[in-house]
Amino acid sequence: MKKLTLFLIGMALMITASSASALQLSVGTWGDWATVGFHFNDKVSGYLGYSYNGNTKVNWMLAKVDVNLAKIKDVQTKAGIAYYTTSPNNGSSLGLTLGASVMVLPNASIGGDIMLADFNTSAGGANTTDILPTALMSFNLYL
């Protein structure tokens, strides 16, 4: 519960900061997470996400930062770091991503990320590393 509370406070602070300083906002998805995106400038974007699994009654929280790399026409390549954790505490993960997105409309993009490496810590303290564990699709609607 403490992690969920801290996550929600962080989300509120980022939304407040964004409304005060003309940041570009987006709503969308990244894999199974519903996300709120904050585009700080043309090089750096941040995302907060939330997902709930009703079968296992687990809340998933996501914080992700992307740095834009090369842009070729409407295709933007990016590298990022994604941190996600669960409540109740089943562990956390830190992942390195590489991806691209395409502007399909003036205010909407579709993309995908490949998780290059995923560093996991379980609630029991066991650590694992996965190489190329998954690929995730994304969609963003810019407000």
Side-chain angles (χ1 to χ4, degrees), residues 81-138:
I81 296 174
Y83 174 79
Y84 44 99
T85 187
T86 62
S87 177
N89 185 15
N90 292 332
S92 60
S93 295
L94 180 67
L96 302 175
T97 64
L98 186 61
S101 62
V102 178
M103 294 299 292
V104 293
L105 294 171
N107 65 336
S109 69
I110 294 175
D113 286 325
I114 295 172
M115 187 77 69
L116 299 174
D118 199 15
F119 309 98
N120 306 294
T121 302
S122 70
N127 297 323
T128 61
T129 301
D130 297 322
I131 305 298
L132 297 173
T134 190
L136 301 150
M137 296 297 296
S138 64

Side-chain angles (χ1 to χ4, degrees), residues 8 26 39 44 55 74 103 113 130:
L8 293 174
S26 68
H39 304 276
V44 179
N55 294 331
D74 288 338
M103 294 299 292
D113 286 325
D130 297 322

Side-chain angles (χ1 to χ4, degrees), residues 4-115:
L4 179 59
T5 303
L6 290 174
F7 177 76
L8 293 174
I9 290 170
M11 188 176 224
L13 288 173
M14 288 183 78
I15 290 172
T16 302
S18 66
S19 62
S21 65
L23 297 176
Q24 187 178 16
L25 293 175
S26 68
V27 293
T29 62
W30 187 70
D32 292 337
W33 287 280
T35 61
V36 175
F38 306 92
H39 304 276
F40 300 107
N41 55 44
D42 60 344
K43 292 287 184 192
V44 179
S45 299
Y47 302 89
L48 292 175
Y50 177 79
S51 180
Y52 177 73
N53 185 327
N55 294 331
T56 59
K57 296 185 176 28
V58 173
N59 298 289
W60 291 84
M61 283 104 15
L62 166 74
K64 184 175 187 307
V65 175
D66 282 335
V67 175
N68 291 339
L69 302 174
K71 185 169 185 174
I72 305 163
K73 297 196 181 196
D74 288 338
V75 178
Q76 178 66 61
T77 59
K78 56 191 175 175
I81 296 174
Y83 174 79
Y84 44 99
T85 187
T86 62
S87 177
N89 185 15
N90 292 332
S92 60
S93 295
L94 180 67
L96 302 175
T97 64
L98 186 61
S101 62
V102 178
M103 294 299 292
V104 293
L105 294 171
N107 65 336
S109 69
I110 294 175
D113 286 325
I114 295 172
M115 187 77 69

